[in-house]
Each structure stands twice: as C-alpha cells, then as structure tokens.
Amino acid sequence: MKFSRQTTLRSQATVTGVGVHSGLPVSLTLGPAPVDAGFIFVRTGLDEADREVPAVAASVTATDLATVLGDREGPLVSTAEHVLAALRGMGVDNAIIEVDGPEVPIMDGSASAFVAAIDQAGIVTQSASRRFIQVLKPVQVAIGDSFGELRPHGNGFRVEVEIAFDNAMIGCQKYSIDLNPESFRREISRARTFGFMNNVARLWSAGYARGASFENTVVFDEARLLNTEGLRFSDECARHKALDAVGDLTLAGLPLLGAYRSVRGGHKLNHAVLTALLADRSAWRVVEAEPARRPRAHVEAGAGMVGGMIAPAYGPDVS
C-alpha cells in the first residue's frame, strides 16, 4: 500500500521578473523544506539579516489588490498568491520561498512560470503523512455585495467563483474546479491577472501597478480587450479569480478538504472567509492521511482524488 505522504521540492529553481506594483526587478527561488514546515518566505536583500515569514493567515498584513505577508516589523512580501497557488495546486506541502525584493515577480500575470519552476525542481515524497484541514460545517462571510463560503465537501478541494463586472468584455462569469495537479495545470495555472485602463491613473497615484504591462496583465477599456494576443480562455477572468482563491486559501497552512464559493470576491473576501473558518474551532478539524486503498475496477478514473492521490480514509482528530 502507498501512503499519502507529504512532499517537498527535490532541488532549487529560480525565476526572475518585476513586481507588478513596485516595478522593481526581483528574483524568487523555490527550494526544499523539512516535514511539517509548510511554506516559508525568506526575504533576502535587506540591509539587515534575512527575515522569515510563514505563509499562514496570521501573517497577512494587507489584501488591497494583492495578498501581503509580514511580521511585527511590517510587510515583507507582496503578491504572494500566485506562487502559493502553484505550490498547493501542484501538490507540494513544504517549501522555502526566497525573495530578494518586496514582491513576488508577476511574470506573465499567471502561475505558469512557477509551475515550470516546480517542474524543474521536481517533487519528492517525505516520511510523514500528509495532513489536511477538513471543513465540518459551513462558514460564511458577506462584505458589501461580496459573499464567500467554505463548506464541507465529499472529495478533496473545490473552488466555485462568480464574478460580475460592468464591462461588456467580462460581464458575469462562473467557473468551478475540483483541484488536483492535473486540473490546476490545465485549467487555471495560465489564467492571467486583469485590470481596466480607466483605473491606471488612480492606481499609479496610489503607488500601485508601476510594473503592470500588456506582458503581465489582461487589460480592458470600456468596450475592448487591449491585448493583441487575445484571451487564453473565454472566461480567463473568472479562472484567474479561482487561481487567486487557491493561493489565498493556501494560507490555511494545510491543504483544505472542503468547497469554497466566492461571489464578487477578491483577496479581502478570501482572507476574511479563511479567518472566520480558523476562528471557529467547531468548523474544522485536522485529519491525517492513512494508507490509500487501490480503487476497484468499477471506480471512475480520478474519482476521490486529493492532491493527485487517492483520497485516504481519515483517522481520529489529531489537532
């Protein structure tokens, strides 16, 4: 029998780019981490010593246009969501993420460069069983006209996104995904961040989007898509929102077993729902993977998959 074990990276892999908000050049290196480490950002390139920040909900210092992580001394790493989505989506449990600037590089606006880095580094299994946060009852949050919910779900982790923009090129879109490495790579890893031309002056004056360009952002005006290469998916905006949600909910610290629904949401809503879940100790429990049983012949291929592996039976609450 095979165990559903924790994973890390076999070696290091580096990507370089610019920060979408700062416009500054930045390098990011993904590397191995020990069992139960989770994801740890190491901010290098500082005048003082390097500083570490764990990728958990308590480390979030801001959610305006990006998810920002920091410590008591202030923010350390902005725009963490895409690389976190890639690590979780590809089935990695433990990794060190070294960043030599204030932002994760935006690359092409999606998670595809980070998936390529993970492929380059390779994924290896570790000695310890994988642990999950299992959602036991619905937790809901409303912020204005935005609504988010985490609820129990029978198999693995599911994301359901609804967006609505007063823009003819976007309008109302719905998208859902049952997450595993194959679906993540194929369906949402290439979905790019998007924005609107009429917001550029306001964002620049507020210190945002200094590194945004047609190479890393899907840009709309009132009636047109301005990127000459077009969209990668007809519903690329909704898919990118799903990508962001995977990254933001990675801050649970362990893979989630449940379903997340977001209506008109974003980073602020994602963080609020996750915080509400973790604050209600009756709404979740930590479960540990046991040996995976081989599926019988009549079981549909891919059924019961969690992180690309057969969904395990769960032992007693070990939280």
Side-chain angles (χ1 to χ4, degrees), residues 4-19:
S4 180
R5 293 185 293 172
Q6 294 181 34
T7 63
T8 191
L9 300 174
R10 183 185 303 275
S11 61
Q12 290 188 328
T14 299
V15 298
T16 59
V18 300

Side-chain angles (χ1 to χ4, degrees), residues 8-16 27-34 40-42 44 50 52 83 87 92 94-100 113-124:
T8 191
L9 300 174
R10 183 185 303 275
S11 61
Q12 290 188 328
T14 299
V15 298
T16 59
S27 292
L28 178 146
T29 299
L30 298 175
I40 300 174
F41 282 89
V42 179
T44 65
D50 297 346
E52 296 185 0
V83 66
L87 288 164
V92 179
N94 304 302
I96 301 295
I97 310 161
E98 296 183 8
V99 186
D100 68 358
F114 304 118
V115 170
I118 292 168
D119 288 340
Q120 178 185 335
I123 300 174
V124 294

